């Protein structure tokens, strides 16, 4: 498995990128010959692929992808999927331990096998799943020279993998054989020497950061108090292509790379370079957030989840909280730099990455994990059918306080008071005619009687509602991962799912329900998980299914 240190670094970097402003780098070396696509403002399902078991949590072992393939981790195996149509290509297997896909380079899949503390780097033919070669980490990490692999994750530019070797060197490997085709000492961008080892027997960490673009290896010297130096080397032969002296830095420095862009950030400044070395932008991070190196693929840049409604890992909907009731969403930007408002995903899930112009989302299901490819497209947008609501009308969203008939409330309790949540009238930035969340409480004020009803989403059709709802239910929560703890999910009838969801620092159990009724997805939640609360949630969920299921028109009762 990935080390805690690696996970912390990766998660920190990912969290940082999520908060950065997305900037499309239609820059320099990009192909300008193609005509710009019509401005995209919607996402549609291109294909979906279901794994036979639950994949490991994406925060721990993410899938790897490029413009044509997706590698999905499944413990000791990896499923390689053709990203163009969603068909499985092969299933490589590790050597008796977990196999973590590192990515693709030179038409080869590279994976890190962790059968023991040493680990190994493995190369596979994506078409057949056959292992081409294996390289184990060198035990002589303190030697002054040599080509022994240090055990770190490889850099994966297109020409072939580049690894760090003992003695402070970089080595370019032949993708299909693993032979060293060039080896160069780490350049003098790190003039302040190596940082002391973190502990006995552990290697020292040189003061530079490293990344890769499509063709090059990028090194950024990070010696505090010195001028930061950026050096770019050709991944084919290791030669220096270009280099820049940036500025002195004091407290903070980082580098982010994509296929055709390099973003350097230090203290309060940032600079953006094309792969060829042309400066594209610079500025102050405080005034204009440093951009992430989003590159154009297929003419459209698709950003990752940038609204609270998306879930990551074990975070799911919080019923009753209007800010978290919607799906994930992405902003789409074309070659002309025109950016759409955030448009919702047709499924709930975790952002995996982009393959070409496709956005890949991972969703847990009852019996497995589904990877869904979403394709940007253009759709005529009307004022009453905003793109942010997936093209549904504002009036399709019912009043959450009018979903329950008066007769039911009388059966539940004679003194229920409706408490609409005002903030829930705004969903995905769109103003609705009614609140989408309503809390119900008795005048007696007992916590056991409190429950809430949420209109989570209104889909364009029944099938889309079912897909969206089932992909948002926390099927795969696992206590060892530090996430939510879910009781067994019970489905008393199609479209009604009852479960207990533990949230907050105290991990207090709360009775929940997800209801799919026609095009509508409802949520029901109580204040605790007592017998009375579970009964309330089940009764209300069944009522919603009876009253609005089967494709019936969502009409609010005229008399209460």
């Amino acid at each position: 498995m990935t080390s805690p240190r690696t996970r912390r670094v990766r998660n920190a970097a990912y969290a940082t990128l999520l908060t950065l402003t997305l900037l499309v780098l239609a820059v320099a070396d990009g192909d300008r010959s193609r005509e710009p696509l019509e401005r995209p403002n919607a996402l549609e399902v291109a294909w979906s692929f279901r794994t036979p078991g639950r994949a490991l949590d994406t925060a721990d072992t993410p899938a790897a992808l490029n413009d044509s393939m997706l590698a999905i981790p499944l413990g000791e195996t990896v499923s390689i999927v053709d990203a163009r149509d969603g068909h499985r290509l092969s299933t490589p297997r590790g050597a008796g331990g977990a196999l973590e896909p590192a990515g693709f380079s030179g038409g080869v899949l590279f994976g890190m096998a962790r059968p023991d503390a040493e680990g190994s780097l493995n190369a596979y033919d994506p078409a057949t799943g056959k292992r081409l070669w294996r390289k184990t980490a060198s035990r002589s990490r303190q030697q002054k020279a040599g080509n022994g692999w240090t055990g770190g994750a490889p850099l994966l530019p297109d020409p072939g993998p580049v690894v760090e070797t003992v003695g402070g060197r970089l080595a370019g490997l032949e993708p299909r054989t693993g032979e060293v085709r060039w080896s160069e000492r780490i350049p003098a961008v790190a003039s302040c020497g190596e940082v002391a080892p973190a502990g006995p027997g552990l290697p020292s960490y040189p003061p530079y950061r490293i990344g890769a673009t499509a063709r090059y290896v990028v090194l950024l010297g990070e010696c505090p108090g010195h001028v930061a130096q950026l050096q770019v080397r050709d991944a084919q032969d290791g030669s220096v292509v270009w280099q820049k002296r940036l500025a002195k830095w004091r407290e903070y420095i980082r580098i982010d790379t994509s296929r055709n862009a390099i973003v350097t950030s230090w203290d309060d400044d940032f600079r953006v370079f094309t792969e060829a070395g042309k400066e594209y932008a610079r500025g102050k991070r405080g005034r204009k957030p440093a951009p992430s190196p989003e590159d154009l693929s297929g003419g459209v840049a698709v950003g990752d989840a940038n609204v609270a409604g998306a879930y990551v890992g074990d975070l799911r909907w919080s019923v009753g909280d209007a800010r978290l009731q919607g799906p994930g969403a992405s902003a789409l930007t074309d070659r002309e730099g025109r950016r759409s408002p955030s448009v919702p995903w047709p499924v709930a899930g975790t952002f995996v990455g982009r393959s070409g112009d496709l956005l890949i989302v991972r969703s847990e299901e009852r019996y497995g994990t589904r990877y869904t490819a979403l394709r940007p497209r253009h759709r005529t947008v009307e004022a009453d059918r905003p793109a942010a609501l997936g093209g549904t009308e504002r009036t399709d969203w019912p009043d959450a306080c009018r979903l329950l008939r008066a007769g039911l409330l009388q059966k539940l309790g004679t003194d229920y008071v409706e408490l609409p949540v005002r903030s829930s009238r705004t969903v995905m930035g769109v103003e609705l005619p009614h609140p989408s969340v309503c809390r119900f409480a008795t005048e007696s004020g007992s916590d056991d009687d409190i429950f809430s009803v949420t209109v989570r989403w209104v889909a364009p059709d029944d099938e889309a509602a079912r897909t969206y709802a089932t992909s948002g239910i926390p099927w795969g929560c696992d206590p060892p991962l530090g996430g939510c703890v879910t009781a067994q999910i019970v489905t008393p009838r199609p479209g009604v799912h009852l479960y207990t969801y533990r949230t907050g620092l105290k991990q207090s159990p709360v009775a929940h329900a997800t209801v799919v009724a026609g095009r509508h997805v409802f949520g029901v939640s109580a204040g605790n998980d007592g017998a009375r609360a579970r009964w309330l949630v089940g009764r209300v969920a069944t009522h919603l299914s009876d009253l609005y299921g089967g494709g019936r028109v969502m009409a609010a009762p005229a008399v209460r």
Side-chain angles (χ1 to χ4, degrees):
M1 297 297 293
T2 309
S3 69
R5 178 181 183 276
T6 302
R7 287 197 298 269
R8 286 195 300 271
V9 171
R10 182 164 55 200
N11 292 342
Y14 183 66
T16 300
L17 287 177
L18 283 179
T19 63
L20 297 179
T21 300
L22 293 177
L23 177 68
V24 175
L25 299 181
V27 295
D29 314 321
D31 179 8
R32 294 281 190 165
S33 62
R34 288 174 294 177
E35 290 295 323
L37 298 179
E38 191 170 10
R39 186 179 185 183
N41 60 6
L43 289 166
E44 64 181 3
V45 175
W47 54 261
S48 64
F49 178 84
R50 185 167 170 239
T51 64
R54 288 204 174 91
L56 297 174
D57 185 77
T58 55
D60 204 49
T61 308
L65 66 169
N66 64 6
D67 284 349
S68 60
M69 291 178 286
L70 171 68
I72 301 172
L74 293 169
E76 295 185 3
T77 64
V78 171
S79 285
I80 301 182
V81 178
D82 188 330
R84 294 165 295 188
D85 55 20
H87 291 133
R88 189 200 307 269
L89 296 175
S90 64
T91 307
R93 179 172 294 276
L99 181 60
E100 303 175 3
F104 298 90
S105 178
V108 174
L109 170 69
F110 292 91
M112 307 286 284
R114 306 285 183 182
D116 48 43
E118 185 179 75
S120 63
L121 176 62
N122 298 263
Y124 297 90
D125 183 336
T128 64
K130 176 184 177 181
R131 187 167 68 188
L132 302 173
W133 54 266
R134 176 174 181 264
K135 186 182 294 291
T136 58
S138 173
R139 296 183 180 275
S140 303
R141 297 187 177 185
Q142 302 304 319
Q143 70 184 57
K144 294 182 178 180
N147 291 324
W149 172 55
T150 62
L155 299 168
L156 298 174
D158 290 347
V162 177
V163 298
E164 294 182 70
T165 65
V166 295
R169 304 181 71 87
L170 289 178
L173 308 181
E174 183 65 35
R176 298 194 69 86
T177 66
E179 296 295 323
V180 175
R181 60 188 183 189
W182 61 264
S183 177
E184 298 287 345
R185 285 195 60 82
I186 299 295
V189 294
S191 58
C192 55
E194 293 188 335
V195 176
L202 296 178
S204 57
Y205 292 96
Y208 59 82
R209 300 201 179 201
I210 192 167
T213 61
R215 296 175 293 168
Y216 303 143
V217 176
V218 184
L219 296 107
L220 177 67
E222 54 170 358
C223 183
H226 289 69
V227 175
Q229 300 180 64
L230 186 65
Q231 188 177 89
V232 176
R233 288 180 170 260
D234 192 324
Q236 187 72 41
D237 58 18
S239 62
V240 175
V241 180
W242 58 269
Q243 51 191 352
K244 305 278 187 183
R245 285 173 60 85
L246 302 178
K248 288 185 178 181
W249 65 281
R250 302 177 304 277
E251 299 178 352
Y252 167 88
I253 193 169
R254 67 174 291 126
I255 182 174
D256 295 297
T257 58
S258 71
R259 288 188 58 78
N260 62 8
I262 303 165
V263 178
T264 58
S265 307
W266 67 93
D267 296 333
D268 295 326
D269 297 273
F270 73 86
R271 293 174 71 177
V272 184
F273 298 95
T274 70
E275 187 186 38
K278 179 181 177 181
E279 184 172 306
Y280 180 76
R282 67 164 64 192
K284 296 287 186 181
R285 291 192 303 124
R287 298 177 183 175
K288 180 182 179 182
S292 64
E294 291 298 312
D295 60 288
L296 286 176
S297 299
V300 179
V302 184
D304 50 11
N306 56 5
V307 295
Y311 72 77
V312 177
D314 285 320
L315 177 62
R316 301 297 197 274
W317 284 323
S318 176
V319 183
D321 187 340
R323 297 170 301 171
L324 299 179
Q325 65 185 7
S330 293
L332 311 177
T333 311
D334 63 14
R335 279 186 176 273
E336 302 304 311
R338 299 174 300 179
R339 184 176 177 181
S340 75
S342 293
V343 296
W345 302 346
V347 295
T350 302
F351 175 76
V352 175
R354 291 186 294 114
S355 178
D357 66 343
L358 298 177
L359 180 150
I360 309 298
V361 174
R362 167 187 175 270
S363 305
E364 293 284 359
E365 294 187 345
R366 181 188 289 270
Y367 300 113
T369 303
R370 186 176 296 276
Y371 287 79
T372 304
L374 307 179
R375 176 179 290 114
R377 68 182 181 90
H378 178 82
R379 181 176 58 204
T380 302
V381 177
E382 303 172 7
D384 291 337
R385 298 176 180 269
L389 294 184
T392 60
E393 294 189 19
R394 301 167 195 257
T395 54
D396 288 343
W397 286 69
D399 185 341
C401 291
R402 295 292 181 268
L403 288 174
L404 307 183
R405 294 193 181 276
L408 175 67
L409 287 178
Q410 292 177 356
K411 293 178 180 178
L412 299 180
T414 58
D415 58 350
Y416 264 104
V417 177
E418 301 163 1
L419 303 171
V421 179
R422 292 185 179 181
S423 61
S424 70
R425 292 189 61 161
T426 301
V427 172
M428 304 285 283
V430 176
E431 190 73 17
L432 300 177
H434 314 289
S436 59
V437 178
C438 192
R439 296 189 175 98
F440 295 84
T442 60
E443 294 182 355
S444 61
S446 172
D447 290 344
D448 292 338
D449 294 325
I450 296 175
F451 69 94
S452 66
V453 175
T454 301
V455 182
R456 286 184 174 162
W457 194 245
V458 180
D461 54 63
D462 293 11
E463 178 61 27
R466 286 192 295 271
T467 301
Y468 173 70
T470 54
S471 64
I473 294 173
W475 305 103
C477 291
D478 192 354
L481 295 177
C484 67
V485 181
T486 306
Q488 181 178 1
I489 298 175
V490 177
T491 304
R493 63 171 65 179
V496 177
H497 307 276
L498 309 176
Y499 51 94
T500 297
Y501 189 58
R502 296 179 183 265
T503 58
L505 296 177
K506 296 182 178 180
Q507 289 286 286
S508 302
V510 177
H512 280 249
T514 293
V515 181
V516 185
R519 297 191 296 127
H520 300 76
V521 181
F522 303 123
V524 186
S525 176
N528 55 55
D529 192 41
R532 166 70 175 172
R534 290 196 300 271
W535 179 82
L536 277 173
V537 168
R539 185 66 184 88
V540 172
T542 302
H543 175 82
L544 293 172
S545 177
D546 287 340
L547 197 57
Y548 304 112
R552 295 193 181 106
V553 176
M554 296 296 302
V559 179
R560 292 189 54 78

